[in-house]
Amino acid sequence: MASKKITNATHGISTVAVQAGEAHQKPGHSITDPIFCASTFTFSDTDAIIRFIEEKEEREEYGRYGNPGEKVAERKLAALEGSEDAILYSSGMAAMVGLVMTKLNAGDEVVFFDECYHRSREFCAKHMSRFGVITRQVKACDYDAMEAAINDKTKLLISESPTNPHLSIIDLDRFAAIGKKHGVETLIDATLATPYNLKPINHGVDYVLHSATKYLAGHNDLLAGVIAGSTEQLEPVRKLRGIMGAVNSAHNIYLLLRGLKTFSLRMQQHNKSGLAVAQFLETHPRVEKVYYPGLESHKYYDVAQKTMSGFGGLITFLVKDADWRATANIVDAVTIPRIAPSLGGVESLIEQPLVMSYYECSPEDRARFGIQDNMIRLAVGIEDTDDLIEDLKQALEA
Amino acid sequence: MKFRTKSIHVGNQRDPQTGAVVPPIHVASTFVQPGAGEWGEFDYSRSGNPTRKNFETTIAALEGGSGALAFASGMAATHCATMLFSTGDHIVAGTDIYGGTYRLLHKISNRSGIETTLAAANDLDALEKAITPNTKMLWIESPGNPLMSITDIKACAAIAKKHGILLGVDSTFATPVLTRPLELGADIVMHSATKYLGGHSDSLGGALVVKDQELFDRLYFIQNATGAVMAPLDSFLASRGLKTLAIRVKEQSKTAMYLAEKLAADSRITRVLYPGLSTHPGHDIAKQQMDSGFGAMLSFEVAGGFEKAKKMAESTKFFQLAVSLGAVESLIEQPASMSHASYDREDRLAHGIQDELIRISVGLEDAEDLWADLDQALSQ
Ligand SMILES: Cc1ncc(COP(=O)(O)O)c(C=O)c1O
Ligand SMILES: Cc1ncc(COP(=O)(O)O)c(C=O)c1O
């Protein structure tokens, strides 16, 4: 039995993070949820199977269809998101694939804002195309272009907010309204925002996707993905997951649940340090420009202020008068952030998008994606803020 | 490097072979050696394990020590410290020490002819008077359980130094976020890593941290010889816990302060024991030896006696009825019926543990949700 429903409407987010989705009294009376390393679940007798099939009894059947620990995590994630339901996957990409494979059939179309996570766009543009699905991409935050790209085949509108690495902020009310007006479902990848800072469901968005690998799990030690939405809309998605099999493991799910316990605290710290570091960078003479939604200079500052309660730890900045090598030298000179892709963990990470993700892209394509040679992306962790600023300062001034 | 940065980076160097940001979990019991009679850094997991070593390195840095040893439980750590001594040796311990430590000293160590005298650790004269020529160690705990008594660690260190004996501090309740006993002159810091260090109620562990290399070597010898080491998976979870230790403990302390003030102002409560309140007898010392908070453990007495307190402890929704402490989930217990039920009532009362005493371990839930929960439970 789950404890009296704890949601983000009735309780503070820390309470939701620690307690929501969990039974008050757990198996074995343990305070934490056990890790069920079970590939299958036994039935006491034939009648028990029949009761299960006739839906008279809710229980597990086989690991690919569900696991008790997974249910706890899904309930907790839904409570954080303020959605009815949530489905967990083995990675963020698996979640994206799970949704688009469910919603898009041959002949259907999907429209992306072009700053959405590049692998998501690539999956639709390069792979769903094999099944006759057409992918259209329009400039991020160009709502008219998005609306113009919709036709009677369009089934899904997808964006990320904030986007990566430019941290553009989508006006979710407008985005959701376009979908509603045309009877097209909408999906927001809110990985960079997390439910601590943004609740797309409240703006009328149908599905929220997270690479839970990032802030939700928060310790750079597991992969996971989640899609939140209404039970009804997610039902076929869940069914397909059971068939395609991109489920997460019992061990990972435990670590995710454990990470979620400190989610609210970690986010407070990421938000605080993120803003402080962004402000530091903005005033540094070697920095040309900082992309961070909490800065007044940010193009989407107003939308961000209206919709978000904090801006997370991801900061992108341009180094003044630096070619790619001079920029790389700064990345190589920092000592606390590690050089690695990904974000959202306790450890700060740093990378140069040109090298890390776009090295094999033509200069024209990079220009089109807005990836500059002198661009650095910093994922601020929860180390001491002063230590991080000190470290960046020495690297910039080295 | 400041505390939070250390907790994330010291002992967690990137894996040189793969670049993994989080070091791999080494579950090996044994390690292949470069040659016969040539030893690598690790040979056998009882003697040393890379994952355990990572946790030990981090906790040593956080406590300002030069070395740490991780154990299978807090009691295994304390036991290792007591194994430093021999027949005829004597230990002086505070009266407020953890019950398991009391049991170890009085029912196990005594079998080897090591005697223990208890003295009120907040009465420095009494403590010093208990020291005999055979005394080898002073063992204290601050804050003490369940009355949150505060012991002046610096003053105890001066006494220990004067008598040429070791000072051991069970710092489980304080954590290095709030108090670093080695900096105050203690020789050994002990933790039940089961509590705040791990922080998620999901593993058992213990640690000893020291500054002095010779003392470290003696303790290491005992640990290796007796074998109560922390397992690799638990070492990984403990390291993972340390990364959020500072933010957890500060937040939990803040919430505890808020609850202590609410309770202190509530007519249904007769007494609140929390070192952050100026009415607490240890407040002035706590202010000196605790940084950025007074911990997340607090006790209070409920008007209406044993039954009323029992009812209250059974009526909370977020505070779960369980012993232990220091985790993200808030816990509640009644010492008279739970943690200290094995004492005679007279002994309990003599220790100041009233029937109506309730102890809470404040977790990470929202402060207002926790207050609402206590409030409704007090009205049951
Ligand atoms: C915004 C965003 N969406 C989706 C993903 C994909 O998630 P995962 O890496 O967990 O598959 C990532 C991460 O790489 C991401 O940053
Ligand atoms: C203050 C204190 N010291 C020591 C211990 C013993 O630790 P463990 O339970 O990890 O053996 C405990 C835990 O119960 C404790 O609260």
Side-chain angles (χ1 to χ4, degrees):
Chain A
M1 188 204 65
S3 47
K4 213 172 120 223
K5 200 152 173 166
I6 300 166
T7 69
N8 61 15
T10 55
H11 293 84
I13 188 154
S14 282
T15 307
V16 176
V18 175
Q19 302 232 3
E22 300 186 25
H24 201 59
Q25 203 59 19
K26 302 187 177 74
H29 309 295
S30 48
I31 184 92
T32 44
D33 273 285
I35 302 173
F36 287 89
C37 296
S39 57
T40 192
F41 298 84
T42 60
F43 291 87
S44 55
D45 54 26
T46 304
D47 285 345
I49 307 174
I50 294 168
R51 276 201 305 280
F52 169 69
I53 292 170
E54 291 182 349
E55 294 184 3
K56 289 183 182 133
E57 191 185 334
E58 233 183 276
R59 48 155 291 158
E60 303 302 343
E61 177 192 4
Y62 177 66
R64 186 163 19 78
Y65 306 129
N67 173 289
E70 175 187 79
K71 294 238 159 46
V72 175
E74 289 178 343
R75 283 196 299 263
K76 196 184 283 290
L77 289 164
L80 285 168
E81 201 65 62
S83 64
E84 262 178 19
D85 202 359
I87 308 178
L88 202 56
Y89 286 86
S90 50
S91 69
M93 269 319 295
M96 180 59 88
V97 169
L99 188 89
V100 299
M101 291 288 285
T102 312
K103 299 293 171 182
L104 303 175
N105 296 315
D108 289 345
E109 298 196 7
V110 51
V111 187
F112 276 94
F113 272 151
D114 67 357
E115 288 178 17
C116 192
Y117 181 56
H118 67 107
R119 296 287 179 208
S120 303
R121 286 181 285 127
E122 180 184 315
F123 178 75
C124 285
K126 294 210 182 127
H127 299 278
M128 292 302 285
S129 55
R130 287 191 285 128
F131 315 129
V133 169
I134 293 169
T135 300
R136 299 185 191 279
Q137 301 192 39
V138 299
K139 190 119 201 62
C141 302
D142 187 342
Y143 304 93
D144 293 336
M146 174 154 271
E147 199 160 2
I150 295 173
N151 60 43
D152 58 3
K153 303 263 176 47
T154 309
K155 289 288 164 6
L156 200 55
L157 307 182
I158 302 181
S159 184
E160 191 176 324
S161 190
T163 67
N164 177 7
H166 295 95
L167 296 142
S168 303
I169 308 293
I170 307 302
D171 182 337
L172 294 181
D173 291 330
R174 261 182 102 174
F175 176 72
I178 293 173
K180 293 259 176 332
K181 177 172 160 199
H182 295 275
V184 179
E185 291 186 331
T186 46
L187 164 69
I188 286 289
D189 178 340
T191 299
L192 268 56
T194 82
Y196 189 90
N197 289 330
L198 184 72
K199 302 224 171 45
I201 299 274
N202 293 351
H203 296 269
V205 170
D206 293 294
Y207 305 105
V208 186
L209 180 139
H210 296 280
S211 167
T213 311
K214 312 289 155 52
Y215 293 105
L216 291 170
H219 292 71
N220 286 327
D221 59 4
L222 64 97
L223 292 174
V226 63
I227 297 175
S230 75
T231 308
E232 189 189 335
Q233 284 168 298
L234 287 184
E235 198 213 30
V237 185
R238 188 179 288 282
K239 283 223 165 85
L240 197 65
R241 186 195 65 169
I243 296 170
M244 301 203 308
V247 290
N248 217 317
S249 86
H251 287 282
N252 263 348
I253 289 167
Y254 179 72
L255 286 180
L256 169 62
L257 270 174
R258 191 190 209 246
L260 286 172
K261 301 271 181 180
T262 54
F263 170 65
S264 153
L265 277 193
R266 286 185 288 102
M267 287 316 297
Q268 289 169 40
Q269 193 58 53
H270 284 295
N271 285 346
K272 238 191 298 186
S273 290
L275 185 60
V277 171
Q279 285 167 341
F280 159 76
L281 288 170
E282 189 165 49
T283 55
H284 197 281
R286 281 209 67 195
V287 175
E288 175 188 322
K289 181 178 171 67
V290 181
Y291 297 87
Y292 187 75
L295 294 177
E296 269 182 63
S297 58
H298 190 67
K299 189 169 171 193
Y300 300 99
Y301 176 76
D302 291 337
V303 196
Q305 288 292 325
K306 218 172 60 190
T307 50
M308 298 177 74
S309 47
F311 311 100
L314 200 78
I315 301 169
T316 301
F317 63 99
L318 304 179
V319 184
K320 201 175 275 173
D321 302 324
D323 61 8
W324 81 269
R325 191 73 239 187
T327 307
N329 288 343
I330 293 170
V331 171
D332 290 341
V334 297
T335 61
I336 296 174
R338 320 276 176 89
I339 303 172
S342 202
L343 61 116
V346 292
E347 296 91 359
S348 295
L349 302 177
I350 193 164
E351 58 145 302
Q352 187 174 4
L354 164 83
V355 181
M356 191 64 82
S357 309
Y358 296 88
Y359 193 73
E360 286 167 342
C361 253
S362 66
E364 295 72 37
D365 275 350
R366 282 204 296 267
R368 201 154 54 78
F369 298 137
I371 303 301
Q372 276 136 285
D373 292 2
N374 60 342
M375 181 180 265
I376 293 178
R377 193 187 86 167
L378 173 68
V380 174
I382 64 166
E383 298 94 342
D384 205 280
T385 317
D386 295 342
D387 284 340
L388 291 174
I389 290 177
E390 205 50 43
D391 189 27
L392 287 165
K393 189 162 162 3
Q394 67 74 24
L396 286 165
E397 292 165 15
Chain B
M1 208 185 277
K2 298 201 176 151
F3 193 93
R4 248 183 11 239
T5 310
K6 280 188 209 164
S7 72
I8 294 168
H9 292 278
V10 176
N12 291 303
Q13 270 64 31
R14 64 187 275 280
D15 177 47
Q17 233 161 41
T18 64
V21 168
V22 178
I25 305 171
H26 290 272
V27 292
S29 57
T30 191
F31 299 82
V32 180
Q33 300 306 312
E38 281 175 62
W39 297 101
E41 184 184 356
F42 298 99
D43 49 74
Y44 181 65
S45 264
R46 176 161 36 73
S47 315
N49 170 286
T51 308
R52 190 167 87 231
K53 179 78 184 287
N54 288 346
F55 168 67
E56 292 168 341
T57 305
T58 315
I59 186 65
L62 296 181
E63 284 288 3
S66 65
L69 296 165
F71 294 85
S73 69
M75 284 320 302
T78 306
H79 184 229
C80 179
T82 64
M83 295 286 281
L84 287 166
F85 310 117
S86 316
T87 302
D89 289 346
H90 177 246
I91 295 169
V92 174
T95 42
D96 274 6
I97 53 169
Y98 170 62
T101 308
Y102 176 94
R103 182 173 58 191
L104 175 78
L105 295 172
H106 289 84
K107 308 242 159 98
I108 306 290
S109 300
N110 64 324
R111 295 186 200 174
S112 318
I114 299 164
E115 296 303 326
T116 298
T117 304
L118 298 185
N122 51 8
D123 178 348
L124 296 171
D125 289 338
L127 203 65
E128 187 162 8
K129 279 208 192 88
I131 295 173
T132 72
N134 293 336
T135 306
K136 290 282 158 43
M137 180 168 73
L138 191 54
W139 187 265
I140 58 173
E141 204 174 303
S142 184
N145 187 8
L147 304 177
M148 307 308 137
S149 55
I150 298 295
T151 299
D152 185 338
I153 298 172
K154 218 178 200 163
C156 288
I159 294 173
K161 194 154 199 178
K162 177 171 153 200
H163 292 271
I165 63 177
L166 296 174
L167 174 64
V169 180
D170 177 340
S171 201
T172 300
F173 277 34
T175 82
V177 179
L178 307 179
T179 305
R180 287 166 302 281
L182 296 179
E183 291 174 0
L184 301 172
D187 300 288
I188 303 175
V189 176
M190 175 267 160
H191 284 284
S192 167
T194 314
K195 311 291 154 49
Y196 294 97
L197 304 189
H200 294 72
S201 302
D202 58 2
S203 68
L204 287 177
L208 295 179
V209 192
V210 299
K211 259 188 321 208
D212 179 66
Q213 186 62 40
E214 194 258 341
L215 181 58
F216 178 85
D217 293 342
R218 283 160 66 204
L219 290 165
Y220 171 75
F221 177 83
I222 297 166
Q223 184 194 43
N224 187 33
T226 55
V229 294
M230 187 183 275
L233 287 172
D234 290 271
S235 301
F236 162 73
L237 288 177
S239 285
R240 196 189 205 240
L242 287 183
K243 293 175 186 176
T244 54
L245 179 70
I247 58 174
R248 280 187 286 111
V249 170
K250 283 184 192 172
E251 181 74 11
Q252 287 168 269
S253 299
K254 202 165 82 184
T255 306
M257 187 73 206
Y258 167 81
L259 295 176
E261 283 173 343
K262 285 282 200 191
L263 289 164
D266 197 295
S267 61
R268 293 165 295 182
I269 303 298
T270 49
R271 191 157 79 119
V272 181
L273 294 155
Y274 184 66
L277 295 178
S278 59
T279 52
H280 190 277
H283 179 65
D284 289 338
I285 297 166
K287 260 200 321 210
Q288 286 166 28
Q289 80 183 23
M290 301 178 89
D291 294 341
S292 42
F294 296 93
M297 294 299 295
L298 76 97
S299 295
F300 54 90
E301 289 166 3
V302 180
F306 181 87
E307 283 306 323
K308 179 75 187 169
K310 180 165 185 291
K311 178 91 187 143
M312 192 238 160
E314 290 169 350
S315 306
T316 50
K317 193 171 65 172
F318 292 134
F319 286 90
Q320 306 190 68
L321 190 62
V323 293
S324 200
L325 58 111
V328 293
E329 306 89 1
S330 294
L331 302 177
I332 190 165
E333 69 122 355
Q334 182 181 27
S337 62
M338 297 174 72
S339 58
H340 294 69
S342 58
Y343 291 54
D344 292 334
R345 182 160 184 271
E346 276 57 49
D347 272 358
R348 273 204 312 267
L349 292 175
H351 274 89
I353 302 169
Q354 303 288 333
D355 290 346
E356 61 270 29
L357 187 74
I358 295 286
R359 187 189 81 174
I360 58 177
S361 167
V362 178
L364 273 188
E365 300 90 344
D366 266 72
E368 281 162 32
D369 287 335
L370 292 181
W371 171 246
D373 194 24
L374 292 179
D375 185 32
Q376 66 78 22
L378 282 166
S379 304
Q380 297 297 317

